[in-house]
Amino acid sequence: EPEVTQTPSHQVTQMGQEVILRCVPISNHLYFYWYRQILGQKVEFLVSFYNNEISEKSEIFDDQFSVERPDGSNFTLKIRSTKLEDSAMYFCATLRGAHQETQYFGPGTRLLVL
Amino acid sequence: AQTVTQSQPEMSVQEAETVTLSCTYDTSESNYYLFWYKQPPSRQMILVIRQEAYKQQNATENRFSVNFQKAAKSFSLKISDSQLGDTAMYFCAFMNNNNDMRFGAGTRLTVKP
């Protein structure tokens, strides 16, 4: 069964550094999402992406964050200058079509900012 | 904006018994999807069950079933014959017409031997 994959599984970075989290969606999926989960807290929506542009973003998704799908396969989340509070699990999710189907989640990237 | 409320931060159940996790939501939309996701210690998000709001029949997946009360905006998850492997965080989620999904705060379920 096709799966969403994410790399890296873990990343440790220094405060102020840039990080790029990568997601490979299921091949025929058209809608892409990033979520964040701070340890012990709920899963929070960051951004949705369709047709090579952002569909919606939350208040968390400020100017330090950006997303793109540069090569038509990888879907990336960039944090330009990481802060301590960016430490969290970041999940990518993808959805096939526009008919309210199921979002499939990747295994997540655990980001630790020191 | 849609909100999802899970009022039980933690629950426990004896192995082989039945447990019900509650979830309520708030929306003005008439068509939407509801989900329960399981998050084991590995922290992967695993889909347990989903319910289309336009369907009156409650969804069932093996030992997992839901009690969907649309008028009350309630969507509880029943786990029958609980197994040790069911120990996890369970998140209720709401997805609107734009495919935007929001999660509840989660319920930590412990199945005791």
Side-chain angles (χ1 to χ4, degrees), chain A residues 74-111:
Chain A
N74 288 304
F75 176 51
T76 62
L77 173 68
K78 182 190 292 186
I79 309 175
R80 187 166 59 209
S81 178
T82 50
K83 303 185 286 288
L84 297 177
E85 54 265 37
D86 293 328
S87 294
M89 194 78 157
Y90 288 82
F91 291 101
C92 171
T94 74
L95 181 149
R96 184 175 61 182
H99 299 294
Q100 293 187 299
E101 298 160 15
T102 301
Q103 290 190 20
Y104 291 90
F105 281 74
T109 293
R110 194 184 300 262
L111 176 66

Side-chain angles (χ1 to χ4, degrees), chain B residues 5-21:
Chain B
T5 302
Q6 292 179 250
S7 59
Q8 304 152 315
E10 295 188 17
M11 291 194 72
S12 64
V13 62
Q14 290 296 130
E15 195 176 7
E17 294 188 349
T18 295
V19 64
T20 299
L21 310 183

